[in-house]
Amino acid sequence: MAKVKVAINGYGVIGKRVAEAVQKQDDMEVVGVVKTSPNYIAQTAVEKGFKVYVPDSNGLERFKSAGVPCEGLSEDLFKDCDVILDCTPGKVGATYKELYTRLGKKAIYQGGEKPEVAEASFTAQVNYDKSVGKQFVRVVSCNTTGLARTLNAINNAYGIEDTRAILIRRGPDPDDIKTGPVNAIVPETKIPSHQGPDLQTVLDVPIETIAIKVPTTLMHMHVVTVKLKNPPKDVSEVVEMFNKAPRIVLINGKDGFKSTAHIMDWARDHSEARGRDDLYEIRVWGDAMSLRGNELTFMQAIHNESDVVPETVDAIRAVMELCDAKTSIEKTDKALSIA
Ligand code: NAD
């Protein structure tokens, strides 16, 4: 069977990662990526073997004078593909919907877009089937993906009566020199923060989220308290349950994982198989959990730059009707060396 032809609109933090992840699958291939500036990132895309396109004729001139190879206009790339991964900055993706519609192409958006941009919001382990055959799908954000994975596993095992999650969010991404905070802790002055309602676009559980931004670039961290309908005997059962759930990895403070810095240090030491220090799985502290009556509290760390990458690959299989959720998750995980 011919490989699915994937175009990537926006080659930044998420775009470059999904491009490499798609290339590692045996049933899809990247036919081109869209970049706005002829900078080192565009040059790296070329070095990695990707064909680079630009949104407009201005871009053609700028790439030419910078000496960075460019294949042509993004609209021509889109015409020649089966599905577009829209990895442009939040809210920019929605401005492309008219073009994708006119070209009759399927598009997969990221979590910076509003849910209404798509026919379905997506987390593979939770609601893959809702996106099968759809034209427009949105992979939920990094924070929401983290919550969806662990809360879906908990809900399936014990049932969820209520949830409160405190989200300690990284300030900027590591390559972002314009965004803070540098010396402040910044609460989102609205409760619930947007991630709670966002989670409910994929998983129907009661939740209130409170978000706080801190001066770090590495990861997000969540402190989650869940009231369970049918609680287990003790936390060892919860550890076992998480161990069996896809794309969740247990870590322990006693093994030296005392912070997000230690988790990312581990990632750097284990980057060979994945080609970069990305952590697709959600890290949950197994030795820092408590169960008081029916109230379970746990902490999880989210590598925001990469947890949505395997979900995006699965979303391609869903919209293209290539296989079922279980088969897709297994294929993606094998190709990306996911635990
Ligand atoms: P980014 O700024 O790193 O990359 C965006 C890319 O799109 C850049 O290469 C930029 O040049 C390009 N671009 C800008 N305007 C464009 C246009 N009009 N046409 C084509 N390309 C254009 O952004 P990102 O962090 O990769 O975020 C992309 C999406 O993924 C957003 O919806 C975001 O909310 C979501 N997301 C981001 C993260 C994260 O941690 N950064 C995590 C999960 C989801």
Side-chain angles (χ1 to χ4, degrees), residues 9-14 35-36 87-89 96 110 112 170 173 304:
N9 193 17
Y11 189 79
V13 171
I14 301 299
K35 191 80 194 82
T36 46
C87 300
T88 59
Y96 273 99
Q110 293 296 323
R170 64 93 176 89
D173 280 326
N304 51 287

Side-chain angles (χ1 to χ4, degrees), residues 9-16 34-37 39 41 55 74 78 86-92 95-96 109-113 139-143 170 173 175 220 303-308:
N9 193 17
Y11 189 79
V13 171
I14 301 299
K16 60 176 147 179
V34 181
K35 191 80 194 82
T36 46
S37 309
N39 56 12
I41 303 172
S74 52
F78 299 155
D86 190 296
C87 300
T88 59
K91 318 289 180 289
V92 173
T95 67
Y96 273 99
Y109 289 101
Q110 293 296 323
E113 301 303 322
V139 173
V140 292
S141 77
C142 46
N143 277 301
R170 64 93 176 89
D173 280 326
D175 70 339
H220 303 304
H303 188 229
N304 51 287
E305 293 173 285
S306 68
D307 69 330
V308 298

